[in-house]
Amino acid sequence: MKDQSFTFEQIHIEVARNASDDFNLFHDKHKWLQVTHNPFKGPIVLGFQLNTLIEYQMRLYREAHHEDQIIADNQLRFSNYQIIFVNALRPRQEMKLDIKKTLIATIPELTLTNRIAIKSQGKTILLGYKKETKHPLFLADTDLSGLPDLNAIADKTVVPGTEFFLKRKWMNNGNVKNFLSGSFAEQSDYFDELLQVAQYPEVFPCSLTSGALLEKAQLENHDFKRNPMVYTSHDISVDRVHLATLRNNDKLHILVKQLPESPDKTLNHTSIMLRTYECFGLLENKAVLFRIKLNLVPLEEIIKNLSGKT
Protein backbone atom coordinates (compact mmCIF):
# COMPACT_ATOMS: atom_id res chain seq x y z
CA MET A 1 0.00 0.00 0.00
CA LYS A 2 1.24 3.48 -0.85
CA ASP A 3 2.35 5.41 2.22
CA GLN A 4 -0.53 7.38 3.70
CA SER A 5 0.11 10.55 5.69
CA PHE A 6 -1.56 11.52 8.96
CA THR A 7 -0.94 14.32 11.43
CA PHE A 8 -2.28 14.06 14.97
CA GLU A 9 -3.23 17.25 16.81
CA GLN A 10 -3.32 17.55 20.60
CA ILE A 11 -7.13 17.31 20.49
CA HIS A 12 -6.83 13.79 19.01
CA ILE A 13 -4.70 12.79 22.01
CA GLU A 14 -7.15 14.40 24.46
CA VAL A 15 -10.09 12.56 22.91
CA ALA A 16 -8.33 9.18 22.87
CA ARG A 17 -6.96 9.39 26.40
CA ASN A 18 -10.31 10.53 27.81
CA ALA A 19 -12.20 7.81 25.96
CA SER A 20 -9.91 5.08 27.32
CA ASP A 21 -9.36 6.52 30.84
CA ASP A 22 -5.61 6.73 30.24
CA PHE A 23 -4.16 9.23 32.74
CA ASN A 24 -0.51 8.69 31.80
CA LEU A 25 1.32 12.02 32.20
CA PHE A 26 3.07 11.58 28.84
CA HIS A 27 -0.20 12.37 27.03
CA ASP A 28 -1.31 15.29 29.20
CA LYS A 29 -0.87 18.71 27.59
CA HIS A 30 0.10 20.26 30.95
CA LYS A 31 1.51 17.44 33.07
CA TRP A 32 4.09 16.14 30.57
CA LEU A 33 6.32 18.88 32.02
CA GLN A 34 6.17 17.19 35.43
CA VAL A 35 7.85 14.01 34.14
CA THR A 36 11.48 13.97 35.33
CA HIS A 37 13.93 14.29 32.40
CA ASN A 38 11.12 13.93 29.84
CA PRO A 39 12.98 13.67 26.51
CA PHE A 40 9.84 14.01 24.38
CA LYS A 41 9.55 17.81 24.81
CA GLY A 42 5.76 17.67 24.73
CA PRO A 43 2.80 15.27 24.90
CA ILE A 44 2.96 12.10 22.79
CA VAL A 45 0.38 10.01 20.89
CA LEU A 46 -0.98 6.90 22.67
CA GLY A 47 0.35 3.51 21.57
CA PHE A 48 -3.18 2.08 21.36
CA GLN A 49 -4.18 5.12 19.29
CA LEU A 50 -1.57 4.15 16.68
CA ASN A 51 -2.77 0.54 16.89
CA THR A 52 -6.33 1.69 16.12
CA LEU A 53 -5.13 3.68 13.13
CA ILE A 54 -3.41 0.47 11.93
CA GLU A 55 -6.58 -1.55 12.64
CA TYR A 56 -8.72 0.75 10.51
CA GLN A 57 -6.27 1.03 7.62
CA MET A 58 -5.86 -2.77 7.64
CA ARG A 59 -9.66 -3.12 7.53
CA LEU A 60 -9.77 -0.90 4.42
CA TYR A 61 -6.86 -2.86 2.92
CA ARG A 62 -8.56 -6.22 3.54
CA GLU A 63 -11.82 -4.98 1.98
CA ALA A 64 -10.04 -3.52 -1.07
CA HIS A 65 -8.21 -6.81 -1.69
CA HIS A 66 -11.26 -9.02 -0.87
CA GLU A 67 -9.28 -10.59 1.95
CA ASP A 68 -12.13 -10.12 4.42
CA GLN A 69 -13.85 -12.89 2.41
CA ILE A 70 -10.84 -15.22 2.90
CA ILE A 71 -10.97 -14.49 6.64
CA ALA A 72 -14.70 -15.24 6.83
CA ASP A 73 -14.59 -18.36 4.61
CA ASN A 74 -11.70 -19.88 6.58
CA GLN A 75 -12.95 -18.80 10.00
CA LEU A 76 -9.77 -16.92 10.88
CA ARG A 77 -11.34 -15.65 14.06
CA PHE A 78 -8.20 -14.15 15.63
CA SER A 79 -6.83 -10.75 14.75
CA ASN A 80 -3.22 -10.37 15.94
CA TYR A 81 -1.04 -7.29 16.27
CA GLN A 82 2.70 -7.59 16.90
CA ILE A 83 3.97 -4.05 17.50
CA ILE A 84 7.42 -2.77 18.51
CA PHE A 85 7.62 0.90 19.53
CA VAL A 86 10.87 2.51 18.45
CA ASN A 87 10.25 6.25 18.91
CA ALA A 88 7.49 8.47 20.26
CA LEU A 89 5.18 10.46 17.98
CA ARG A 90 4.33 14.06 18.85
CA PRO A 91 1.28 16.05 17.79
CA ARG A 92 1.67 18.14 14.60
CA GLN A 93 4.37 15.74 13.43
CA GLU A 94 3.40 14.27 10.06
CA MET A 95 3.66 10.49 9.93
CA LYS A 96 3.36 7.87 7.22
CA LEU A 97 1.87 4.40 7.54
CA ASP A 98 3.19 1.70 5.22
CA ILE A 99 1.34 -1.62 4.82
CA LYS A 100 3.25 -4.26 2.87
CA LYS A 101 1.52 -6.71 0.53
CA THR A 102 -0.26 -9.64 2.22
CA LEU A 103 1.66 -12.89 2.52
CA ILE A 104 -0.56 -15.97 2.71
CA ALA A 105 0.94 -19.02 4.43
CA THR A 106 -0.77 -22.41 4.76
CA ILE A 107 1.73 -24.18 7.04
CA PRO A 108 1.28 -24.89 9.93
CA GLU A 109 -2.13 -23.29 9.33
CA LEU A 110 -3.64 -20.60 7.13
CA THR A 111 -2.25 -17.18 8.10
CA LEU A 112 -2.53 -13.78 6.46
CA THR A 113 0.43 -11.55 7.34
CA ASN A 114 1.20 -7.90 6.59
CA ARG A 115 4.31 -6.08 7.66
CA ILE A 116 3.59 -2.59 9.01
CA ALA A 117 5.73 0.48 9.64
CA ILE A 118 5.03 4.02 10.82
CA LYS A 119 7.69 6.62 10.10
CA SER A 120 7.97 10.33 10.79
CA GLN A 121 10.66 12.89 9.99
CA GLY A 122 13.06 10.19 8.85
CA LYS A 123 12.64 8.15 12.05
CA THR A 124 10.85 4.86 12.57
CA ILE A 125 8.01 5.24 15.11
CA LEU A 126 6.87 1.63 15.15
CA LEU A 127 7.35 -1.65 13.30
CA GLY A 128 5.27 -4.77 13.35
CA TYR A 129 2.90 -7.26 11.82
CA LYS A 130 -0.84 -7.71 11.50
CA LYS A 131 -1.82 -11.37 11.23
CA GLU A 132 -5.12 -13.22 10.81
CA THR A 133 -5.20 -16.75 12.27
CA LYS A 134 -7.50 -19.54 13.47
CA HIS A 135 -5.88 -19.60 16.92
CA PRO A 136 -4.49 -16.78 19.10
CA LEU A 137 -0.80 -16.11 18.50
CA PHE A 138 -0.21 -14.76 22.00
CA LEU A 139 -0.82 -16.30 25.44
CA ALA A 140 -2.82 -19.11 23.84
CA ASP A 141 -1.71 -21.61 26.50
CA THR A 142 -3.02 -19.68 29.50
CA ASP A 143 -5.97 -21.58 30.94
CA LEU A 144 -8.45 -19.26 32.64
CA SER A 145 -11.23 -21.82 33.13
CA GLY A 146 -10.42 -22.28 36.82
CA LEU A 147 -11.02 -18.64 37.75
CA PRO A 148 -13.67 -17.87 40.38
CA ASP A 149 -16.74 -15.82 39.44
CA LEU A 150 -15.16 -12.45 38.63
CA ASN A 151 -18.51 -10.69 39.09
CA ALA A 152 -18.27 -11.47 42.82
CA ILE A 153 -14.78 -9.99 43.25
CA ALA A 154 -14.18 -6.36 44.21
CA ASP A 155 -12.86 -4.02 41.53
CA LYS A 156 -9.15 -3.14 41.73
CA THR A 157 -8.21 -6.15 43.86
CA VAL A 158 -6.22 -9.34 43.31
CA VAL A 159 -8.32 -12.33 42.26
CA PRO A 160 -8.06 -14.84 45.15
CA GLY A 161 -5.78 -17.79 44.46
CA THR A 162 -4.20 -16.07 41.43
CA GLU A 163 -1.64 -13.39 40.58
CA PHE A 164 -4.20 -11.41 38.57
CA PHE A 165 -5.16 -7.83 39.38
CA LEU A 166 -8.79 -7.21 38.36
CA LYS A 167 -10.05 -4.00 36.78
CA ARG A 168 -13.71 -3.86 35.80
CA LYS A 169 -14.88 -1.69 32.91
CA TRP A 170 -18.15 -1.16 31.09
CA MET A 171 -18.38 -0.72 27.34
CA ASN A 172 -19.68 2.66 26.20
CA ASN A 173 -20.52 3.41 22.56
CA GLY A 174 -19.71 7.10 22.97
CA ASN A 175 -16.21 6.35 24.26
CA VAL A 176 -15.60 3.92 21.41
CA LYS A 177 -16.68 6.46 18.78
CA ASN A 178 -14.43 9.09 20.32
CA PHE A 179 -11.48 6.71 20.40
CA LEU A 180 -12.05 5.86 16.73
CA SER A 181 -12.28 9.54 15.75
CA GLY A 182 -9.17 10.34 17.78
CA SER A 183 -7.33 7.61 15.83
CA PHE A 184 -8.37 8.69 12.30
CA ALA A 185 -10.84 5.81 11.99
CA GLU A 186 -14.26 6.50 10.45
CA GLN A 187 -16.76 5.89 13.27
CA SER A 188 -19.68 5.51 10.84
CA ASP A 189 -18.03 2.33 9.51
CA TYR A 190 -18.68 0.80 12.94
CA PHE A 191 -21.78 2.58 14.26
CA ASP A 192 -25.04 3.62 12.61
CA GLU A 193 -27.89 4.36 14.99
CA LEU A 194 -30.52 4.59 12.24
CA LEU A 195 -29.60 1.16 10.92
CA GLN A 196 -29.03 -0.08 14.49
CA VAL A 197 -25.49 -1.14 13.66
CA ALA A 198 -22.93 -1.24 16.49
CA GLN A 199 -19.82 -3.19 15.59
CA TYR A 200 -17.03 -2.77 18.14
CA PRO A 201 -13.51 -2.24 16.80
CA GLU A 202 -10.77 -4.66 17.88
CA VAL A 203 -8.27 -2.43 19.64
CA PHE A 204 -10.55 -0.24 21.78
CA PRO A 205 -11.34 -2.85 24.49
CA CYS A 206 -7.60 -3.66 24.56
CA SER A 207 -6.75 0.03 25.08
CA LEU A 208 -8.48 -0.09 28.48
CA THR A 209 -5.57 -2.19 29.79
CA SER A 210 -3.42 0.98 29.91
CA GLY A 211 -5.76 2.51 32.48
CA ALA A 212 -5.83 -0.80 34.39
CA LEU A 213 -2.01 -0.83 34.57
CA LEU A 214 -1.98 2.78 35.75
CA GLU A 215 -4.55 2.05 38.48
CA LYS A 216 -2.57 -1.01 39.59
CA ALA A 217 0.61 1.08 39.77
CA GLN A 218 -1.22 3.84 41.66
CA LEU A 219 -2.36 1.36 44.32
CA GLU A 220 1.28 0.25 44.59
CA ASN A 221 2.28 3.91 45.20
CA HIS A 222 4.26 4.14 41.97
CA ASP A 223 5.67 7.63 41.34
CA PHE A 224 4.55 8.49 37.79
CA LYS A 225 6.55 11.74 37.75
CA ARG A 226 9.88 10.39 38.97
CA ASN A 227 9.76 6.90 37.51
CA PRO A 228 7.63 6.90 34.36
CA MET A 229 7.38 3.74 32.25
CA VAL A 230 7.09 3.55 28.46
CA TYR A 231 5.80 0.77 26.22
CA THR A 232 8.35 -1.04 24.08
CA SER A 233 5.96 -3.59 22.57
CA HIS A 234 2.35 -4.77 22.30
CA ASP A 235 1.46 -8.35 21.32
CA ILE A 236 -2.32 -8.54 20.93
CA SER A 237 -4.74 -11.33 19.98
CA VAL A 238 -8.43 -10.42 19.68
CA ASP A 239 -11.23 -12.96 19.25
CA ARG A 240 -13.48 -11.55 16.52
CA VAL A 241 -16.30 -13.99 17.30
CA HIS A 242 -16.62 -12.71 20.88
CA LEU A 243 -16.02 -9.13 19.71
CA ALA A 244 -19.12 -9.36 17.49
CA THR A 245 -21.26 -9.92 20.60
CA LEU A 246 -20.09 -6.74 22.40
CA ARG A 247 -22.77 -4.16 23.12
CA ASN A 248 -23.13 -0.84 24.95
CA ASN A 249 -22.95 -1.28 28.78
CA ASP A 250 -21.43 -4.76 28.54
CA LYS A 251 -19.11 -5.60 31.41
CA LEU A 252 -15.44 -6.32 30.73
CA HIS A 253 -13.12 -7.88 33.30
CA ILE A 254 -9.50 -6.91 32.68
CA LEU A 255 -6.95 -9.20 34.31
CA VAL A 256 -3.34 -8.07 34.66
CA LYS A 257 -0.41 -10.21 35.80
CA GLN A 258 3.09 -8.79 36.19
CA LEU A 259 5.89 -11.25 35.45
CA PRO A 260 9.15 -11.20 37.46
CA GLU A 261 11.88 -9.14 35.82
CA SER A 262 14.86 -11.15 34.64
CA PRO A 263 18.32 -10.46 33.16
CA ASP A 264 17.31 -12.95 30.45
CA LYS A 265 14.57 -10.60 29.23
CA THR A 266 16.08 -7.28 28.19
CA LEU A 267 15.47 -4.54 25.65
CA ASN A 268 17.27 -5.28 22.34
CA HIS A 269 21.07 -5.13 22.67
CA THR A 270 20.94 -3.44 26.10
CA SER A 271 21.01 -4.53 29.73
CA ILE A 272 17.65 -2.82 30.41
CA MET A 273 15.30 -5.37 31.98
CA LEU A 274 11.81 -5.50 30.51
CA ARG A 275 8.77 -5.34 32.75
CA THR A 276 6.31 -7.75 31.17
CA TYR A 277 2.56 -7.89 31.79
CA GLU A 278 0.13 -10.56 30.65
CA CYS A 279 -3.35 -9.09 30.25
CA PHE A 280 -6.70 -10.65 29.43
CA GLY A 281 -10.12 -9.22 28.71
CA LEU A 282 -12.99 -11.48 29.79
CA LEU A 283 -16.67 -10.95 29.08
CA GLU A 284 -19.28 -11.53 31.75
CA ASN A 285 -19.72 -15.16 30.64
CA LYS A 286 -15.92 -15.74 31.00
CA ALA A 287 -15.35 -15.74 27.22
CA VAL A 288 -11.81 -14.44 26.52
CA LEU A 289 -12.12 -11.38 24.28
CA PHE A 290 -8.43 -10.47 24.12
CA ARG A 291 -4.97 -11.59 25.22
CA ILE A 292 -2.14 -9.07 25.40
CA LYS A 293 1.51 -9.28 26.30
CA LEU A 294 2.91 -5.83 27.07
CA ASN A 295 6.52 -4.87 27.63
CA LEU A 296 7.49 -1.67 29.42
CA VAL A 297 10.76 -0.17 30.57
CA PRO A 298 11.57 2.76 32.87
CA LEU A 299 12.17 5.93 30.86
CA GLU A 300 15.22 6.66 33.04
CA GLU A 301 16.92 3.45 31.84
CA ILE A 302 16.38 4.34 28.19
CA ILE A 303 17.82 7.83 28.69
CA LYS A 304 20.83 6.40 30.56
CA ASN A 305 21.39 3.91 27.78
CA LEU A 306 21.15 6.61 25.08
CA SER A 307 23.52 8.97 26.90
CA GLY A 308 26.00 6.11 27.31
CA LYS A 309 26.12 5.71 23.52
CA THR A 310 26.80 9.34 22.66
Side-chain angles (χ1 to χ4, degrees), residues 7-260:
T7 306
F8 286 94
E9 299 291 339
Q10 181 60 31
I11 188 65
H12 291 105
I13 298 175
E14 304 286 314
V15 166
R17 67 193 296 266
N18 293 345
S20 59
D21 291 327
D22 187 325
F23 55 89
N24 192 322
L25 304 181
F26 284 122
H27 312 304
D28 190 297
K29 64 176 184 269
H30 302 301
K31 291 182 181 167
W32 69 268
L33 280 160
Q34 298 172 16
V35 176
T36 307
H37 306 308
N38 190 340
F40 303 132
K41 301 182 171 54
I44 59 174
V45 177
L46 284 70
F48 282 107
Q49 205 173 357
L50 294 173
N51 290 349
T52 298
L53 171 70
I54 291 166
E55 173 189 350
Y56 183 63
Q57 291 303 318
M58 279 302 312
R59 172 187 167 131
L60 298 179
Y61 183 98
R62 294 267 182 259
E63 287 171 359
H65 294 82
H66 309 292
E67 292 169 357
D68 46 344
Q69 202 54 53
I70 299 173
I71 290 165
D73 291 348
N74 292 278
Q75 299 174 324
L76 304 181
R77 68 188 277 176
F78 286 93
S79 176
N80 306 277
Y81 299 82
Q82 196 167 3
I83 306 291
I84 294 169
F85 296 98
V86 183
N87 283 294
L89 182 69
R90 301 251 334 264
R92 316 200 77 167
Q93 197 179 314
E94 188 185 13
M95 53 144 276
K96 283 188 161 58
L97 168 65
D98 179 36
I99 297 173
K100 297 285 186 230
K101 189 169 180 290
T102 307
L103 297 175
I104 300 182
T106 53
I107 299 169
E109 60 176 25
L110 183 64
T111 305
L112 274 61
T113 300
N114 298 78
R115 194 175 167 84
I116 286 157
I118 289 179
K119 296 185 177 178
S120 177
Q121 300 177 349
K123 284 185 175 176
T124 299
I125 302 297
L126 65 75
L127 293 167
Y129 294 93
K130 170 79 166 77
K131 300 185 181 188
E132 321 296 345
T133 55
K134 272 191 177 171
H135 301 99
L137 289 184
F138 307 112
L139 305 179
D141 298 336
T142 306
D143 181 12
L144 300 171
S145 60
L147 287 172
D149 178 10
L150 297 175
N151 297 295
I153 292 161
D155 187 27
K156 297 198 283 189
T157 61
V158 174
V159 177
T162 77
E163 296 175 67
F164 287 117
F165 173 80
L166 169 69
K167 177 63 197 152
R168 196 173 285 114
K169 302 294 285 185
W170 276 264
M171 293 298 100
N172 177 283
N173 287 0
N175 285 343
V176 185
K177 290 179 200 172
N178 280 336
F179 201 82
L180 288 167
S181 298
S183 309
F184 294 114
E186 179 49 59
Q187 68 175 59
S188 64
D189 283 355
Y190 298 85
F191 293 91
D192 186 324
E193 279 72 19
L194 296 179
L195 296 176
Q196 294 190 308
V197 171
Q199 179 204 344
Y200 268 60
E202 297 167 0
V203 171
F204 175 76
C206 303
S207 76
L208 301 174
T209 55
S210 272
L213 287 181
L214 289 164
E215 291 201 50
K216 179 179 185 291
Q218 200 169 34
L219 289 171
E220 293 162 356
N221 297 314
H222 185 84
D223 190 330
F224 295 108
K225 295 178 184 177
R226 300 184 69 163
N227 187 22
M229 308 285 290
V230 291
Y231 284 127
T232 60
S233 66
H234 286 174
D235 290 337
I236 302 171
S237 291
V238 181
D239 188 325
R240 275 190 270 254
V241 173
H242 295 323
L243 183 73
T245 69
L246 263 194
R247 294 292 177 265
N248 196 41
N249 291 327
D250 275 3
K251 192 187 289 182
L252 179 68
H253 300 290
I254 297 173
L255 298 175
V256 174
K257 178 166 84 171
Q258 184 177 337
L259 302 187

Side-chain angles (χ1 to χ4, degrees), residues 293-306:
K293 192 172 171 189
L294 301 168
N295 282 318
L296 294 96
V297 294
L299 178 67
E300 183 184 24
E301 294 291 329
I302 290 182
I303 294 169
K304 257 197 261 177
N305 187 61
L306 289 173

Side-chain angles (χ1 to χ4, degrees), residues 266-272 305 309:
T266 59
L267 193 59
N268 311 338
H269 316 301
T270 71
S271 58
I272 303 171
N305 187 61
K309 283 183 176 173

